[in-house]
Amino acid sequence: MNKDLAIDAFAALAHDARLSVFRLLVQRGPEGTPAMELGRLLDLKPSTLSGHLSVLKRAGLVTTERHHREIHYAPNFEAVNGLVLFLLDDCCGGDATACAGLNLSHLSAPKC
């Protein structure tokens, strides 16, 4: 992930409602969740939720898939992994002992 993409992703997450939406999507997993259900669970109006989902999608943090009349939103785990790896690139200047407390083994595949 490059710096510009990382900035877009962090900007998208830098809002209480969008962070809540994204965390809920991560909790629910890669199968996706209908937009209406997200709004119900988070008590967000459809127009408000739509704007937040649009920002997350533009930042590459969520994917969409149409299921009949509903759009299901899911976290883009590949983008999240890229964001975390961007943050930790050359962690501790390559000193493996200094980074020993970080558990990065799960980054290649989410626990779903």
Side-chain angles (χ1 to χ4, degrees):
M1 176 171 287
N2 67 43
K3 185 177 177 180
D4 291 333
L5 292 174
I7 290 170
D8 288 345
F10 285 121
L13 293 171
H15 186 281
D16 183 53
R18 286 193 295 270
L19 185 59
S20 295
V21 169
F22 185 74
R23 289 180 51 86
L24 179 60
L25 287 171
V26 169
Q27 290 170 3
R28 297 185 65 106
E31 298 82 30
T33 303
M36 294 287 285
E37 187 172 348
L38 291 170
R40 182 183 59 79
L41 292 170
L42 295 171
D43 195 28
L44 293 172
K45 295 177 185 176
S47 59
T48 301
L49 177 62
S50 176
H52 290 312
L53 288 168
S54 179
V55 170
L56 291 169
K57 186 174 180 187
R58 268 195 314 274
L61 294 171
V62 299
T63 61
T64 59
E65 186 174 316
R66 183 170 287 282
H67 291 265
H68 303 289
R69 298 176 77 184
E70 296 180 320
I71 297 177
H72 288 219
Y73 289 83
N76 181 350
F77 287 114
E78 185 177 317
V80 174
N81 284 341
L83 187 58
V84 172
L85 291 173
F86 171 82
L87 284 174
L88 300 176
D89 188 36
D90 197 26
C91 179
C92 305
D95 180 2
T97 59
C99 298
L102 295 174
N103 179 6
L104 305 178
S105 62
H106 65 284
L107 288 181
S108 59
K111 297 184 293 182
C112 294

